[in-house]
Each structure stands twice: as structure tokens, then as C-alpha cells.
């Protein structure tokens, strides 16, 4: 049974698209590996490991969105708000690799699209939204929760839009693309609400005990002085 | 272990790990077993017979996972999905180990023991 398969499987996309997306994913992860270094120190490195483990755990918790349909956290916006966009992208990438290799969840040839959509596109979109709304997030607790919610919602919808584009480029099934896009984006708008709630709850919990560990709330200039 | 890791930090880490283990090990049993949004939409138009899709839908050529026979495939232990929680706990620990190890190696080293490798640009 494939009831707990949560990500794109093998055979959805043709071989050239799988290869190309694999190459793009490798490139994206390589850039994240280089850029993540400046955001990692003795204090934040262990936290980032915890964030990855937490995203893995919460991804297992499928919640109902429609009769017969569930959704689960993707985690990119959550990770980016807590540990920054580059480290956040790596957190989600590690989760996806562990799921594909250890739990046969998410196809091996589909690892490229899964990393592009959930670890790179979703994380980037969520982080950009969070940064654009940073003045709201730093103003009050309600502001922070609201920004976390919106960033996570956008993260989910953008990740699903990424799959629509990839399927348009190299999908192997018989389908009208317009209907497919509408259905996929529609259901992920619902999942995005769940993603928003889970992200706001988690960011809120961390911010209430250790606000200094929330990347989005950190004073960047001060943080840089300490690490250099 | 770095001396900078405070007691407060250790407490935070312990609580975070405990929450993750509880979610993956126990709460996971209460998760919805229905296909997720992607699986649902890509399988629309097909009917599932014995785990394989028949008919025409976006996922009509989807193949079984290459590692479907591995011990923890589908978050079960040797095919027994009663062990979902055990699989979840192993997954949390594996992710923690791999991600934590990766980030620990990647971190910009500070202080006097940063002699290995090149100096950080910042």
C-alpha cells in the first residue's frame, strides 16, 4: 500500500525532466551549502539539526483537508523563519533524502523535483514573504504569528505551483493541464492553511521561550559581529 | 562538546527532541491515512487495483519505489505498519544525526580552535 507516500513518486515525469530537475536540485543544494556556513555557529548548528528532525516528525502528521484527501506540513517557511533560508533549505533537503532512502517515500528519480519544490522554491517563497513582512513580525507576538502563517501558506502554494510547471514540461500522464493546475493549487491552498497554523504554533512556541533563536527576529548586524 | 552550550540550550534541545519523538512515535498513529493533495490530484481519473493505478491520470505511469522492499519502507517495519511509531522515531533520530552532523561540520568556526581549513571570510 502506498497510503503513507507523501511526495512525488517515480514515473510522474519523463527521464529528461527527471535528469534536468535532478541537476537543478544539486546546484541549488550546493549553493545553499556554501551560503549556509555564515548562518551556522556553535549555537545555531544544533538548533538547525533539531529543526530538521522536527520537520521530519511533523511531515508524518497528515491532517484531513477534504473528504478522502489529506495534507501535511512541507516545512520550508518554518525552517527559514527559525534558522534562515539557506540552512532551512538544507533542513528540508535532508528530510526528503532520509524519506526517499530510508522510508521509500518520494521516488529516487523524483528527488530532484521534490527538493526543488519543497526545499528550494517553497523555502525561498516563504522566506521572502517573511522578510517583506518583518516589521510586522517584530512589532508584536500576534504580528509574528500572522507573518508565520502567511509565509507558510505561500510556501505551500508555491511548492505546488512548482510541480505544475514541472509536469507541464515533462509529465507522462494524460491530463488537461488547466484542470490539473486548478485542482493541485486548490487543494494546496487548503493544505496551506494547515501549514500556516502548524508554522505559527511552532514559531510562537520557540519565540516564547527562546526568541533569540528565531532567525527572522534576530538583529542581523549584531549577529554578524558576534560570529566574526 | 562546546563549553558554550548552556544549560538553557540543553534543556531547549531536550524538550525539542522529546516533542519530535512524541509526534513521530505516538501522534503519528492519529494522522489521516488518506492520500495527500499531490497523490490525490495525480491519481484522479485512475482506479487503484492492488496498489497499481489503472486508467488515465497524471500518475498513470507512476512506478513502485525502487526501495519499496527495504526494511522501513512506507514507515513500517518489515511491512508491519503497526510499527509506524518505531519507524517514525528511527526517522527522527536519523534526521537529527544526519542534519545535526552536517550543520556541525559546516558551521563557521569561531575562537582559537578554528585552525583547521581556511579562515572564514566574515
Amino acid at each position: 500500500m502506498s497510503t503513507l507516500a507523501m511526495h512525488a513518486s517515480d514515473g510522474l515525469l519523463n527521464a529528461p525532466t527527471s535528469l534536468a530537475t535532478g541537476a537543478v536540485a544539486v546546484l541549488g543544494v550546493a549553493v545553499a551549502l556554501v551560503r549556509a556556513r555564515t548562518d551556522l555557529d556553535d549555537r545555531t548548528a544544533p538548533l538547525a539539526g533539531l529543526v530538521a528532525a522536527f520537520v521530519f516528525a511533523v511531515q508524518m502528521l497528515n491532517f484531513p483537508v477534504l473528504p478522502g484527501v489529506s495534507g501535511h506540513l512541507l516545512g520550508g517557511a518554518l525552517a527559514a523563519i527559525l534558522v534562515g533560508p539557506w540552512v532551512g533549505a538544507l533542513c528540508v533537503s535532508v528530510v526528503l533524502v532520509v524519506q526517499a532512502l530510508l522510508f521509500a517515500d518520494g521516488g529516487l528519480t523524483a528527488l530532484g523535483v521534490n527538493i526543488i519544490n519543497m526545499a528550494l522554491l517553497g523555502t525561498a517563497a516563504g522566506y521572502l514573504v517573511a522578510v517583506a513582512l518583518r516589521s510586522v513580525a517584530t512589532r508584536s507576538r500576534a504580528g509574528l504569528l500572522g507573518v508565520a502563517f502567511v509565509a507558510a501558506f505561500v510556501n505551500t502554494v508555491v511548492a505546488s505551483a512548482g510541480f505544475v510547471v514541472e509536469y507541464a514540461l515533462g509529465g507522462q500522464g494524460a491530463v488537461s493541464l488547466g484542470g490539473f493546475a486548478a485542482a493541485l493549487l486548490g487543494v494546496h491552498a487548503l493544505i496551506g492553511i494547515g501549514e500556516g497554523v502548524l508554522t505559527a504554533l511552532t514559531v510562537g512556541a520557540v519565540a516564547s521561550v527562546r526568541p533569540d533563536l528565531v532567525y527572522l527576529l534576530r538583529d542581523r548586524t549584531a549577529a554578524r559581529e558576534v560570529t566574526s | 562538546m562546546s563549553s558554550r552550550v548552556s544549560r538553557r540550550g540543553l534543556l531547549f534541545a531536550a524538550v525539542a527532541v522529546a516533542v519530535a519523538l512524541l509526534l513521530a512515535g505516538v501522534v503519528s498513529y492519529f494522522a489521516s491515512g488518506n492520500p495527500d493533495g499531490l497523490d490525490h490530484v495525480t491519481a484522479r481519473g485512475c482506479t487503484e487495483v492492488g496498489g497499481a493505478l489503472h486508467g488515465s491520470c497524471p500518475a498513470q505511469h507512476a512506478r513502485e519505489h525502487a526501495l519499496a522492499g527495504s526494511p522501513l519502507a512506507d514507515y513500517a517495519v518489515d511491512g508491519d505498519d503497526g510499527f509506524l511509531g518505531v519507524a517514525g522515531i528511527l526517522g527522527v533520530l536519523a534526521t537529527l544525526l544526519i542534519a545535526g552532523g552536517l550543520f556541525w561540520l559546516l558551521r563557521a568556526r569561531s575562537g582559537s580552535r578554528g585552525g583547521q581549513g581556511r579562515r572564514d571570510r566574515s
Side-chain angles (χ1 to χ4, degrees):
Chain A
M1 286 303 291
S2 56
T3 43
L4 253 165
M6 303 190 291
H7 309 311
S9 47
D10 293 318
L12 284 170
L13 303 176
N14 60 30
T17 314
S18 298
L19 274 176
T21 49
V24 173
V26 167
L27 205 69
V29 169
V31 172
L33 280 169
V34 173
R35 302 293 299 268
R37 291 203 59 210
T38 41
D39 289 336
L40 289 166
D41 55 37
D42 288 1
R43 206 170 57 104
T44 55
L47 172 70
L50 293 172
V51 168
F54 186 81
V55 168
F56 175 90
V58 182
Q59 282 208 359
M60 290 183 73
L61 309 179
N62 285 52
F63 48 84
V65 289
L66 287 172
V69 189
S70 72
H72 61 77
L73 182 92
L74 307 185
L78 171 64
I81 290 171
L82 292 179
V83 292
W86 307 109
V87 181
L90 295 177
C91 285
V92 181
S93 299
V94 168
V95 169
L96 292 169
V97 169
V98 167
Q99 288 170 333
L101 294 183
L102 217 51
F103 298 98
D105 178 17
L108 298 182
T109 62
L111 197 51
V113 287
N114 284 325
I115 285 180
I116 290 174
N117 296 338
M118 287 180 273
L120 303 179
L121 284 178
T123 306
Y127 182 70
L128 289 176
V129 170
V131 165
L133 300 173
R134 215 172 108 193
S135 60
V136 180
T138 52
R139 206 174 296 153
S140 67
R141 182 173 169 80
L144 175 65
L145 300 186
V147 169
F149 178 92
V150 175
F153 176 84
V154 172
N155 149 59
T156 310
V157 175
V158 167
S160 72
F163 190 79
V164 171
V165 173
E166 288 138 13
Y167 198 85
L169 291 173
Q172 295 211 93
V175 63
S176 87
L177 205 61
F180 177 64
L184 200 67
L185 290 173
V187 75
H188 280 89
L190 296 177
I191 294 171
I193 295 172
E195 173 114 22
V197 170
L198 290 169
T199 302
L201 279 175
T202 309
V203 171
V206 175
S208 60
V209 288
R210 293 293 302 273
D212 57 310
L213 291 182
V214 180
Y215 186 93
L216 187 68
L217 300 181
R218 232 176 284 157
D219 181 352
R220 309 297 305 133
T221 50
R224 232 167 247 145
E225 271 158 31
V226 172
T227 47
S228 62
Chain B
M1 276 291 147
S2 163
S3 57
R4 278 187 212 206
V5 177
S6 63
R7 187 173 295 177
R8 216 159 65 104
L10 278 178
L11 181 68
F12 179 86
V15 171
V17 170
V19 170
L21 291 176
L22 190 71
L23 294 175
V26 180
V27 182
S28 57
Y29 284 101
F30 300 95
S32 167
N34 286 321
D36 70 8
L38 181 68
D39 268 342
H40 172 76
V41 174
T42 53
R44 267 197 341 177
C46 289
T47 45
E48 193 182 326
V49 182
L53 293 174
H54 296 274
S56 74
C57 63
Q60 70 190 72
H61 298 294
R63 295 187 300 272
E64 189 177 41
H65 200 284
L67 303 173
S70 61
L72 294 173
D74 283 333
Y75 303 89
V77 176
D78 274 331
D80 185 344
D81 55 16
F83 287 104
L84 171 71
V86 176
I89 286 171
L90 291 175
V92 165
L93 295 178
T95 308
L96 186 62
L97 218 66
I98 295 168
L102 171 72
F103 295 140
W104 191 251
L105 291 175
L106 273 181
R107 80 194 190 283
R109 271 157 246 240
S110 52
S112 53
R113 299 206 305 131
Q116 313 141 270
R118 276 178 295 162
R119 272 282 171 88
D120 191 66
R121 275 167 294 147
S122 66

